[in-house]
Amino acid sequence: MALIELTDVTKRYTVGAQEIRALDGINLKIDRGEYCAIIGPSGSGKSTLMHLLGCLDTPTTGRVVIDGVDVSRASDGRLAEMRNEKIGFVFQAFNLLPKFTVLDNVELPMIYSGKSAKERRARAIAAVERVGLSERMKNTPLQLSGGQMQRVAIARALVNDPKIIFADEPTGNLDSKTGATILALFRELSEQGRTIVLVTHDNEIAANAPRRIVIRDGRIVQNADNWHSGLRAAPSPQEAHT
Amino acid sequence: MNLWNSFYTGLREILSHKFRSVLTMMGIILGVASLLTTFALVEGLAKKSREMLNSLGGVETIRVFKKEPPREQVHIADLSPGITIADAEALREHATLITAVAPVYEQSATLEHGEADYRYTIRGVWPEHVIVQNHKITAGRAICQLDLDEAAKVCVIGSRIVQELWPKDPNVQPVGQTILVNSRPFTVIGVLEHYESEDAKRARKEGRPVPPSRYGSRFDPYSRKNSTFLIPFTTMFFEFKSAGGIGSSGSSSPIPSFSSSKSNSSTKDDPGPNYRLDELAFHITDPQKMAEAQAEAHKILLASHRGIEDFEFENRVEWSEGIEKQNTQIKLVGGIIASIALIVGGLGITNIMLASITERIREIGVRRAVGAKGTHIFVQIIIEGTVLAVIGGLAGLVAAFGLLEIIEQATSGDSQGIVNTQAALASFIFAVVIGVVSGIYPAWQASRIPPIEALRYG
Ligand SMILES: Nc1ncnc2c1ncn2[C@@H]1O[C@H](COP(=O)(O)OP(=O)(O)OP(=O)(O)O)[C@@H](O)[C@H]1O
Ligand SMILES: [Mg+2]
């Protein structure tokens, strides 16, 4: 069974009399250990999809099953547990707490998983070291560069040892060089067996990923599903896009 | 998420907005301060009343008063001798729940010593009088049975009499000196303590001017008690009451009833002096057995009054209960008003917390994204409100002491608050409850924001 499975998922917003179909009949399976990139033009529904996958939101219709749990109808509390235990989310805007130090920010998810203060500290330090920021543990996010902030966010996403990491344009606010180091970090995590789904605008970044999902107007228009099963059989990124 | 963590988070949030937090807490601080101040001031008043009650003989003292007999007995009312010394003797002999009986004859008399002469009401008493009236002797001794047996011309005097008769000599030792009572020489055998309220005592010790009595000097119970002039009961009878009232010139006391004396002597074995008493009071063994003691005394007096119910009892239980009841009422009213202040303070917390939540939606979103449940957010905000209320409550307790000090200074020591732990605890707990309650609405609002909307905000 796939780690992530979406069946006929739609997400509609009604703004006044107008109905926006942000997602319109999504069927998708992602297996354990996959590394896939979701790409598509602005407003195509990438973030909406990511929020559903990340248990931050629920679909209007359809089923979202993550690690055997149907999260499309789950309670607020159950969704929070999923986000806490199984999912690490990395945002384009970092979303760190500005008044907290790097360590405190990284500890945050563990506060909600009931770990002891000692364990929290130890794991937070390990995660911060993992992303190469051991020098800046006592700094607050405002004293860090964008790339450093995103690495703190990644450390926070990793700290509860989740099965899946979702990243919505993690390099969107970074220059290309810094972005590359972040992407390298994701690759490493993928090689260690974590399932990674990231959203990007950038074809080059998408090409970097073994699997590529192209989305347009709330529909999946291309799903290069065989990319990771056999590199030779996969179409080149350019072909897939057009 | 454990409680300590939430507490710590709450504290950190409060500290990072010190000014706002102080403003928020102000309502709680003032509310608690006014609540506790009210309680303390009422308690202070209550203490004064209790002191006064005690100085007048405490709750154990019951007084016997004359009353109109019931209608069916009016036509035979003359059969009763009234309240006489026979009543006192009957009580002393037969009552089991009474420790001391104090009959009093009163008489207005002129006191003289050297240049000084004054008119005073002098009182003929039994030795038990000092027990019933809670008198304390500071020098010499009290009147004893021997004085009565001998009808000795001795007296025990209050501090005010000492002041009046020895106006130029504040350190006089009157015991052993002779004074003239309606021109008859009497030896001072004892001096009573100087009675005063705790306030007056404190003021005197600190060298401050003694605050004027709340009752005016004429009706001040302390000053009346200080004007006590006691002589043996028998001395009073033989010197001033018998033989057609020698020296009773200007007397305001009722003319002794000879008819009742006569009628009584014909039926009693001991035809002792039987004039109407000016006062009869007794002390009971146990204030808990007030009703039984009173019933017993009623039975005894009914016998000595030949079944005519022309007397009634007055005890201070009602008075004491009246004091307590009044205190409860003032506390209630004051408490309600102060509570309103506290509730307004709570509304202040609610208001500011709602505003701060709007400011913190993003933070809430981040917490939600990493796994906080709605309940976690709810608890966090409740705890923040509670921490504010706890700090505010503690500050309010401190402020109450300041407020009481100011009030005491402003009234030059007349209004003194007494802070008891119970009231302090009650005010504090109330503040904390208010803090928790005022956090509920903002906390509920905050916990209901969908994670994704919270993240997108701002
Ligand atoms: N809360 C909302 N209310 C109304 N419409 C919404 C809401 N959220 C998203 N949409 C709409 O849904 C569509 C998909 O939005 P989404 O944010 O998923 O796009 P995206 O692919 O992430 O775009 P971008 O690359 O610019 O981030 C858009 O048309 C957007 O306007
Ligand atoms: Mg987006």
Side-chain angles (χ1 to χ4, degrees):
Chain A
M1 195 184 163
L3 183 61
I4 300 169
E5 191 167 347
L6 278 71
T7 322
D8 296 328
V9 167
T10 66
K11 182 75 185 176
R12 287 190 288 268
Y13 296 104
T14 16
V15 182
Q18 191 193 12
E19 193 191 61
I20 299 161
R21 291 166 170 252
L23 294 177
D24 192 8
I26 300 279
N27 287 289
L28 179 66
K29 279 187 187 176
I30 297 171
D31 281 319
R32 215 166 289 269
E34 272 197 89
Y35 182 0
C36 42
I38 299 176
I39 188 166
S42 184
S44 56
K46 304 184 293 295
S47 293
T48 308
L49 177 60
M50 286 300 267
H51 294 150
L52 294 184
L53 294 173
C55 296
L56 287 162
D57 207 354
T58 48
T60 313
T61 64
R63 256 163 69 88
V64 179
V65 177
I66 291 170
D67 199 23
V69 180
D70 182 354
V71 296
S72 39
R73 303 282 171 271
S75 69
D76 174 88
R78 189 78 186 90
L79 290 174
E81 280 165 18
M82 293 295 290
R83 294 194 294 271
N84 190 242
E85 293 160 14
K86 302 198 170 159
I87 294 163
F89 211 106
V90 179
F91 301 89
Q92 178 176 354
F94 319 133
N95 278 339
L96 300 173
L97 298 183
K99 280 180 248 155
F100 284 44
T101 64
V102 166
L103 264 187
D104 287 339
N105 264 291
V106 175
E107 271 188 38
L108 200 61
M110 293 184 288
I111 284 176
Y112 300 108
S113 52
K115 297 207 165 65
S116 73
K118 217 171 129 190
E119 192 186 351
R120 288 205 306 266
R121 189 92 320 191
R123 292 181 70 143
I125 290 171
V128 173
E129 277 167 356
R130 172 78 190 74
V131 298
L133 278 178
S134 22
E135 308 289 291
R136 318 302 299 265
M137 290 195 207
K138 299 284 175 205
N139 289 74
T140 61
L142 298 175
Q143 298 161 336
L144 302 179
S145 72
Q148 286 170 329
M149 282 198 263
Q150 197 57 298
R151 280 193 273 163
V152 175
I154 293 169
R156 183 181 64 189
L158 285 174
V159 80
N160 257 350
D161 198 22
K163 289 191 170 150
I164 319 162
I165 290 182
F166 295 109
D168 191 351
E169 302 200 45
T171 59
N173 283 1
L174 306 175
D175 62 66
S176 54
K177 206 173 144 220
T178 321
T181 65
I182 297 294
L183 287 170
L185 200 52
F186 280 116
R187 267 223 92 87
E188 245 176 75
L189 291 171
S190 166
E191 276 155 19
Q192 286 162 6
R194 248 176 264 264
T195 311
I196 293 175
V197 179
L198 67 82
V199 161
T200 178
H201 270 115
D202 191 332
N203 257 316
E204 223 173 293
I205 295 170
N208 211 4
R211 180 177 172 194
R212 210 166 60 126
I213 298 158
V214 183
I215 181 168
R216 191 167 294 153
D217 295 333
R219 293 166 197 265
I220 294 176
V221 293
Q222 194 196 9
N223 191 345
D225 208 33
N226 44 358
W227 178 260
H228 78 291
S229 50
L231 279 173
R232 269 155 296 154
S236 80
Q238 279 77 12
E239 272 176 274
H241 193 57
T242 45
Chain B
M1 180 154 161
N2 61 36
L3 217 60
W4 167 243
N5 233 299
S6 332
F7 185 81
Y8 177 72
T9 315
L11 204 62
R12 177 144 74 178
E13 179 58 31
I14 287 159
L15 288 179
S16 65
H17 296 109
K18 285 187 196 68
F19 185 66
R20 186 171 76 189
S21 303
V22 168
L23 276 185
T24 314
M25 278 186 285
M26 217 57 205
I28 293 287
I29 295 174
L30 293 179
V32 169
S34 43
L35 197 58
L36 187 55
T37 305
T38 310
F39 286 155
L41 287 177
V42 175
E43 199 53 44
L45 282 177
K47 191 176 163 231
K48 274 189 201 171
S49 309
R50 280 186 216 117
E51 268 169 23
M52 189 167 292
L53 175 66
N54 265 329
S55 83
L56 292 174
V59 283
E60 295 93 346
T61 299
I62 297 179
R63 303 213 293 162
V64 186
F65 279 100
K66 183 172 88 175
K67 116 179 165 184
E68 284 298 307
R71 191 186 296 190
E72 65 276 13
Q73 290 185 334
V74 169
H75 64 287
I76 50 166
D78 282 346
L79 284 177
S80 166
I83 297 168
T84 67
I85 190 69
D87 290 334
E89 275 160 356
L91 286 174
R92 175 144 84 175
E93 202 161 319
H94 302 299
T96 54
L97 296 168
I98 291 172
T99 45
V101 183
V104 177
Y105 268 152
E106 271 183 359
Q107 170 83 44
S108 182
T110 308
L111 310 183
E112 283 171 79
H113 180 267
E115 314 260 284
D117 77 293
Y118 287 96
R119 281 199 80 72
Y120 268 104
T121 301
I122 64 171
R123 321 184 90 202
V125 299
W126 280 5
E128 291 95 321
H129 189 78
V130 288
I131 303 172
V132 176
Q133 293 299 329
N134 252 5
H135 274 306
K136 292 193 185 61
I137 310 273
T138 48
R141 62 173 181 88
I143 289 166
C144 65
Q145 190 55 45
L146 199 64
D147 297 324
L148 265 82
D149 293 346
E150 292 177 345
K153 286 200 221 154
V154 293
C155 58
V156 172
I157 61 179
S159 65
R160 184 138 169 237
I161 310 239
V162 177
Q163 278 166 28
E164 300 277 23
L165 293 182
W166 287 270
K168 293 183 198 103
D169 191 358
N171 295 317
V172 69
Q173 296 299 330
V175 176
Q177 301 208 37
T178 302
I179 56 178
L180 296 177
V181 180
N182 280 357
S183 310
R184 293 166 176 75
F186 274 70
T187 308
V188 178
I189 54 164
V191 178
L192 298 172
E193 185 185 285
H194 178 65
Y195 304 107
E196 60 193 339
S197 66
E198 290 293 318
D199 290 350
K201 190 182 275 174
R202 206 165 18 236
R204 205 161 43 80
K205 275 194 186 134
E206 288 167 9
R208 282 188 282 125
V210 176
S213 163
R214 284 191 288 157
Y215 301 86
S217 63
R218 228 186 110 112
F219 297 106
D220 179 38
Y222 295 106
S223 126
R224 283 166 67 113
K225 205 172 170 184
N226 285 327
S227 308
T228 304
F229 190 97
L230 304 175
I231 63 172
F233 189 84
T234 47
T235 315
M236 175 69 120
F237 184 77
F238 293 127
E239 294 291 330
F240 304 113
K241 290 271 180 182
S242 62
I246 295 169
S248 66
S249 56
S251 162
S252 61
S253 62
I255 306 227
S257 155
F258 287 95
S259 63
S260 61
S261 164
K262 247 181 271 157
S263 67
N264 193 45
S265 56
S266 61
T267 55
K268 286 266 274 184
D269 305 329
D270 170 25
N274 211 2
Y275 297 137
R276 286 205 168 123
L277 294 174
D278 293 295
E279 192 182 300
L280 177 59
F282 54 89
H283 220 227
I284 60 167
T285 41
D286 180 3
Q288 301 295 319
K289 291 193 184 142
M290 178 65 74
E292 291 98 308
Q294 215 161 287
E296 188 187 49
H298 185 262
K299 224 168 114 190
I300 292 165
L301 292 190
L302 212 52
S304 62
H305 287 235
R306 301 180 178 183
I308 313 282
E309 209 175 341
D310 60 349
F311 59 89
E312 64 187 348
F313 299 106
E314 181 215 66
N315 62 49
R316 274 149 193 165
V317 170
E318 270 164 42
W319 187 18
S320 149
E321 275 168 2
I323 293 174
E324 299 306 330
K325 206 165 134 193
Q326 196 183 352
N327 287 340
T328 324
Q329 267 165 8
I330 305 175
K331 259 187 201 164
L332 194 71
V333 172
I336 287 172
I337 294 170
S339 301
I340 291 172
L342 203 51
I343 290 167
V344 171
L347 289 177
I349 291 196
T350 305
N351 192 22
I352 295 181
M353 281 178 95
L354 277 175
S356 87
I357 279 161
T358 320
E359 193 180 284
R360 289 166 63 195
I361 285 189
R362 192 75 187 216
E363 176 199 328
I364 291 166
V366 172
R367 288 177 179 275
R368 297 283 267 140
V370 300
K373 298 177 183 177
T375 48
H376 285 132
I377 303 296
F378 185 86
V379 169
Q380 182 189 336
I381 302 219
I382 288 285
I383 285 177
E384 279 178 30
T386 310
V387 171
L388 273 178
V390 166
I391 299 173
L394 290 175
L397 294 184
V398 175
F401 283 96
L403 209 58
L404 284 170
E405 188 61 33
I406 291 170
I407 289 171
E408 198 186 324
Q409 296 290 327
T411 60
S412 42
D414 211 23
S415 291
Q416 253 172 356
I418 295 168
V419 177
N420 62 30
T421 352
Q422 220 180 339
L425 208 64
S427 315
F428 180 71
I429 289 174
F430 189 34
V432 174
V433 170
I434 290 281
V436 174
V437 170
S438 46
I440 288 178
Y441 180 67
W444 181 69
Q445 285 282 324
S447 70
R448 253 170 27 115
I449 307 169
I452 194 67
E453 269 168 40
L455 275 173
R456 210 180 268 137
Y457 187 89

